[in-house]
Amino acid sequence: MSLSDLERVATAMVAKDKGLLAADESTSTIGKRFAKIGVESTPEHRRDYREMLFASPGIAQWISGVILYDETIRQHTKAGVPFPEYLAKLGIIPGIKVDTGAKPLAGFPGETITEGLDGLRERLIEYYQLGARFAKWRAVIDIGAGLPTPFAIEANAHALARYAALCQEQNIVPIVEPEVLMDGAHGIERCDEVSSLVLSAVFSQLAAHRVHLEGMILKPNMVIAGKKASVQARPEQVAEATVRLLKRFVPAAVPGIMFLSGGQSAAEATLHLSLMNGLGPLPWQLSFSYGRALQDEALVTWSGKPGNVAAGAKAFQKWARLNGLARSGAYQPGAELRSA
Ligand code: 13P
């Protein structure tokens, strides 16, 4: 293992003005998104859609890397170039989702454990050969009556740390993603409390597993009220609570924190990131690793029609650029309506 390689890649992932496109939806998840726009989920359609995103003009200014799914890392552009090679030529680092999903945690109704550790070393070796230089593993923590349990938090933190150690052994930068869901009716304080327990457990397990913090990226949720909550926090509150939480639990050795959007609208996720970056100086880079917030408008604009590819690409480019601005606190709310 080369520590300097890991540090170099992790630092490049959070380069100035840049963040990640999470395009690693599983076949089942992208199938649901395609169903909403009336597109049949075939390997060709999934390839066409991802190619539209990756080929959007100029995105390398704002996109440092793309998280791919197992199918996508093996696919080619219409011109026959493997996707990882196509991205690398643009100066965009290919990454890969390596967990195999959150499954019911036996004995703990309503909670999940993320799977995918068996055979992971061998899969990482193959993914490295296919061009991946970073990986992602998502743990899912739901907030509900009496949930999460301390055991589910610990089990998920343990799995995240085992994954991270294996990645670093194979010279792949781990993105450690403990996602506290925003699906419930809980307020921002409850999200803060649960996220504290989760980050505390995660960094304790990372230390126990001897994970090299300088060669990893954290991908957390923001501190935010549940979608069904009667009171929503103001954007400034979300930004302040999130930065305060991260300062308590994330060591300064971690080069970057790249948020998930988690069901926030594109404008909300972009504004929150921008406000947080306005609260500096901060010990780490704060960036984005958005799936839906970067793709929602592009997906609907495209709607599976070849004639819409240019417009869909432009929609993705727009949100990539606005999040590039948010990296330095320079996104102005509503800018998406004024820019073409
Ligand atoms: P969202 O930004 O849509 O939450 O997706 C990010 C991601 O990679 C979730 O694992």
Side-chain angles (χ1 to χ4, degrees):
M1 154 167 85
S2 161
L3 293 184
S4 59
D5 280 356
L6 291 172
E7 289 174 18
R8 190 177 43 75
V9 172
T11 306
M13 288 164 72
V14 286
K16 185 175 177 299
D17 302 333
K18 295 189 192 183
L20 302 179
L21 164 65
D24 59 326
E25 299 83 5
S26 65
T27 304
S28 137
T29 298
I30 196 138
K32 286 179 207 147
R33 306 226 169 119
F34 276 13
K36 281 193 199 151
I37 53 164
V39 173
E40 194 194 345
S41 187
T42 63
E44 290 71 32
H45 289 162
R46 294 193 288 270
R47 191 276 307 271
D48 291 349
Y49 173 63
R50 264 85 182 232
E51 183 167 355
M52 174 186 87
L53 299 176
F54 305 163
S56 300
I59 53 158
Q61 287 172 71
W62 311 292
I63 300 294
S64 56
V66 175
I67 317 176
L68 301 166
Y69 184 61
D70 182 76
E71 175 186 74
T72 324
I73 202 171
R74 303 171 195 280
Q75 284 181 319
H76 298 66
T77 64
K78 281 193 207 66
V81 184
F83 275 141
E85 187 181 319
Y86 179 84
L87 292 167
K89 281 205 180 114
L90 291 173
I92 296 175
I93 310 166
I96 181 76
K97 167 210 193 72
V98 300
D99 67 71
T100 55
K103 308 285 163 58
L105 179 61
F108 289 79
E111 299 194 281
T112 60
I113 180 75
T114 300
E115 296 190 346
L117 287 170
D118 287 354
L120 181 56
R121 176 179 281 122
E122 291 70 27
R123 289 195 293 129
L124 288 167
I125 292 169
E126 190 198 4
Y127 286 139
Y128 189 95
Q129 284 162 356
L130 287 169
R133 293 295 174 269
F134 66 89
K136 180 191 111 170
W137 177 290
R138 172 173 173 259
V140 183
I141 304 291
D142 206 355
I143 298 181
L147 299 184
T149 60
F151 182 84
I153 293 176
E154 209 54 40
N156 276 289
H158 189 269
L160 270 169
R162 277 193 64 198
Y163 140 83
L166 278 164
C167 285
Q168 292 191 334
E169 180 196 79
Q170 297 307 324
N171 224 6
I172 288 181
V173 172
I175 297 180
V176 171
E177 179 179 6
E179 175 172 7
V180 177
L181 295 177
M182 58 179 289
D183 294 342
H186 54 274
I188 186 170
E189 294 80 10
R190 180 78 180 127
C191 176
D192 200 347
E193 191 176 275
V194 171
S195 301
S196 297
L197 295 171
V198 169
L199 287 180
S200 163
V202 165
F203 279 95
S204 143
Q205 287 293 339
L206 289 170
H209 285 74
R210 303 183 177 171
V211 171
H212 182 64
L213 298 183
E214 289 84 347
M216 65 159 271
I217 295 288
L218 178 72
K219 176 164 172 166
N221 53 283
M222 296 180 198
V223 177
I224 193 165
K227 270 189 264 182
K228 298 184 202 122
S230 47
V231 182
Q232 289 294 323
R234 284 178 296 105
E236 291 76 13
Q237 267 179 296
V238 172
E240 280 161 25
T242 305
V243 167
R244 190 175 57 229
L245 170 86
L246 295 171
K247 281 184 174 168
R248 287 187 183 141
F249 294 102
V250 185
V254 174
I257 296 171
M258 308 183 85
F259 294 99
L260 56 95
S261 60
Q264 299 179 44
S265 71
E268 285 164 347
T270 310
L271 177 58
H272 289 147
L273 179 64
S274 195
L275 291 171
M276 285 190 268
N277 275 307
L279 296 174
L282 301 168
W284 355 253
Q285 296 293 314
L286 286 191
S287 182
F288 57 92
S289 175
Y290 294 157
R292 285 163 284 178
L294 284 172
Q295 294 184 48
D296 280 352
E297 189 177 330
L299 182 67
V300 171
T301 305
W302 173 62
S303 285
K305 303 202 173 57
N308 292 339
V309 164
K314 209 166 170 185
F316 168 55
Q317 185 207 53
K318 178 179 76 179
W319 285 107
R321 179 173 57 75
L322 294 172
N323 276 284
L325 288 173
R327 288 282 281 107
S328 56
Y331 164 73
Q332 300 291 338
E336 60 277 12
L337 307 172
R338 297 188 287 277
S339 56

